[in-house]
Amino acid sequence: MKMMEDEIDDAYALSGFMDLVKIVGYISFLISTIACFGMLAMAMYSIQTRIKEIGVRKVLGASPGQIVFTLSKSFLILIGVAVLIGVPVGYFLGDLFISNYAYRIVITPWLLLSGATILSLLGIITISTQTMSAARSNPVNALRAE
């Protein structure tokens, strides 16, 4: 004799729900990885083009924290805009997806904000690796050619 819970689990398995969840998980991981690599490349390019500015700021007495903030400011604004766009879109698409199922969860703001926080922290860590190394670099090497 099958329990009702087992029948519900079998119905979801037959509908392909778990396969779809796995595929969406893999795609999300791939998208996040590519986005981090892109952000890393943009940070490296930005720092490389501003290497003399960083050297001058260090010679004039800027602290490493000020340099990191100066280099990271534009990326932090981009992350904020991405969160402002992504959270409502994620809520709408998630609600649209789970509306087809009889037994569903409620998408809470905490669920969306936790995902946005994790991705924001991942982006900040990606950027900070490059900005910290630029802030710790020797300004003589950057200004030697001048």
Side-chain angles (χ1 to χ4, degrees):
M1 181 171 168
K2 261 188 158 177
M3 300 296 261
M4 182 66 172
E5 184 177 322
D6 294 333
E7 288 185 26
I8 292 171
D9 289 342
D10 291 343
Y12 278 122
L14 289 176
S15 70
F17 179 75
M18 295 310 292
D19 294 335
L20 186 62
V21 168
K22 284 182 185 178
I23 291 170
V24 168
Y26 290 139
I27 290 173
S28 299
F29 176 75
L30 184 64
I31 289 171
S32 300
T33 304
I34 291 171
C36 283
F37 282 142
M39 192 175 297
L40 179 68
M42 287 187 339
M44 290 172 65
Y45 177 73
S46 173
I47 290 169
Q48 191 64 35
T49 57
R50 298 172 71 180
I51 197 75
K52 290 185 181 179
E53 175 191 347
I54 295 167
V56 169
R57 286 181 186 269
K58 286 186 77 167
V59 167
L60 292 176
S63 69
Q66 291 171 333
I67 293 173
V68 168
F69 179 73
T70 301
L71 293 173
S72 302
K73 186 171 40 175
S74 61
F75 291 107
L76 294 176
I77 291 170
L78 287 175
I79 290 173
V81 169
V83 167
L84 287 176
I85 293 171
V87 167
V89 170
Y91 175 78
F92 176 72
L93 291 178
D95 191 47
L96 186 67
F97 174 72
I98 63 172
S99 67
N100 296 327
Y101 294 96
Y103 300 101
R104 57 182 169 199
I105 63 167
V106 176
I107 299 178
T108 62
W110 297 113
L111 182 66
L112 292 172
L113 289 179
S114 65
T117 303
I118 290 170
L119 288 176
S120 297
L121 286 175
L122 192 59
I124 289 169
I125 290 169
T126 302
I127 294 167
S128 67
T129 58
Q130 294 302 308
T131 56
M132 287 299 292
S133 66
R136 283 188 259 135
S137 67
N138 190 356
V140 174
N141 295 336
L143 300 173
R144 184 173 287 157
E146 292 298 318

